[in-house]
Amino acid sequence: ARALSSGFLAACEIASAEDYQSSGASTLVRDIADSSVMAALTCILFHNTKDDNGASDSSSCDAPHPKRRWLIGKELFLRGLLNCAGCRHASGIHDSGCISGRTAGSKRSRSTAFVDWEMVDDAEGASAAAERPSRAGTRKFSNNNSSRATIDDFANALRPFVVYYAIMDQLSADFSPSLDDQAIEEAANRLVEVIEECQRSKGIHELLEKAHVTLSHSDILKELQRGMVAA
């Protein structure tokens, strides 16, 4: 677990290299997508108080380091999370799978706590959120519709991973193994505030702003597409 984020970041650099051509490229992107969630978390758990900027002494401190791994590599972590969103979208996965079939339809099933977003219908009249995507649909997006598609068409697919990114960003700003009880409580309150702000977002554009996502919309779609093709 301690080395997971290192392997993840190395794989991201390989996959994004301009001269990288391999028959296993889709497999590598899929592995990046599958490991992205845990790689982000373990990066913070094990490397948040260390200098990750190539310092020879690998110095550490009792507070989040200004050159910690998350700050240096968080764009790559975000890209991996977007790849994961694309894989899930192409596979028709719309929830975490934590709610069992026996309780999913009952009155006592838990709410997602998200406000409802109205999805924008595409030119063919099908809602991107309601439609179960297929590999054929993915290829259609990749080859023909990339100029027409917008992040609004994939808002529900992007949403949980953008929120997770915001959670990790706030966690990295506070976490160190030496936190005392009062500091943990204060950090937890700040984390709850971030989650609640994300939950109140009325659309994907507002959520991206609140999560401090700096990637352009075209880059977001590109990473989402890579995940869809690799699924």
Side-chain angles (χ1 to χ4, degrees):
R2 188 178 296 273
L4 176 60
S5 60
S6 299
F8 171 86
L9 293 172
C12 288
E13 294 288 1
I14 293 171
S16 61
E18 294 182 359
D19 59 348
Y20 176 65
Q21 298 291 335
S22 170
S23 58
S26 291
T27 300
L28 182 60
V29 172
R30 189 160 59 247
D31 290 341
I32 289 171
D34 290 344
S35 62
S36 60
V37 172
M38 287 304 298
L41 181 58
T42 57
C43 162
I44 296 169
L45 289 177
F46 296 115
H47 304 283
N48 213 48
T49 58
K50 299 177 181 178
D51 185 343
D52 203 60
N53 198 34
S56 58
D57 60 353
S58 187
S59 59
S60 62
C61 55
D62 292 331
H65 200 284
K67 296 180 181 179
R68 59 191 180 274
R69 180 168 297 182
W70 173 261
L71 280 185
I72 294 172
K74 68 178 183 178
E75 181 178 308
L76 292 177
F77 286 109
L78 175 59
R79 289 178 182 271
L81 291 170
L82 295 174
N83 294 159
C84 189
C87 284
R88 285 170 55 88
H89 182 73
S91 301
I93 302 173
H94 303 296
D95 57 46
S96 66
C98 296
I99 301 177
S100 69
R102 291 181 299 175
T103 61
S106 67
K107 294 181 180 179
R108 297 182 62 185
S109 60
R110 292 186 61 185
S111 167
T112 62
F114 283 111
V115 296
D116 291 333
W117 286 356
E118 292 183 2
M119 299 299 293
V120 179
D121 290 342
D122 62 23
E124 299 173 356
S127 170
E131 179 184 358
R132 180 183 176 88
S134 63
R135 290 183 182 273
T138 303
R139 287 193 295 270
K140 183 177 181 182
F141 168 78
S142 302
N143 296 331
N144 300 324
N145 291 343
S146 58
S147 61
R148 290 189 299 149
T150 69
I151 60 171
D152 296 290
D153 298 313
F154 301 98
N156 279 0
L158 291 167
R159 188 180 199 180
F161 293 92
V162 175
V163 173
Y164 183 79
Y165 172 79
I167 291 171
M168 291 297 102
D169 202 31
Q170 181 59 47
L171 184 62
S172 175
D174 287 322
F175 176 77
S176 76
S178 60
L179 290 177
D180 58 25
D181 289 348
Q182 181 177 351
I184 290 173
E185 181 179 357
E186 293 171 353
N189 288 335
R190 286 190 289 271
L191 191 58
V192 168
E193 290 175 2
V194 169
I195 295 170
E196 289 177 343
E197 276 298 304
C198 289
Q199 289 174 334
R200 284 193 289 267
S201 299
K202 295 180 174 61
I204 187 63
H205 299 275
E206 183 179 350
L207 177 59
L208 290 171
E209 182 178 350
K210 288 181 176 180
H212 307 294
V213 172
T214 57
L215 285 180
S216 67
H217 290 184
S218 61
D219 281 344
I220 291 172
L221 284 176
K222 177 182 176 181
E223 296 301 336
L224 187 74
Q225 179 182 356
R226 289 178 69 190
M228 292 168 68
V229 172

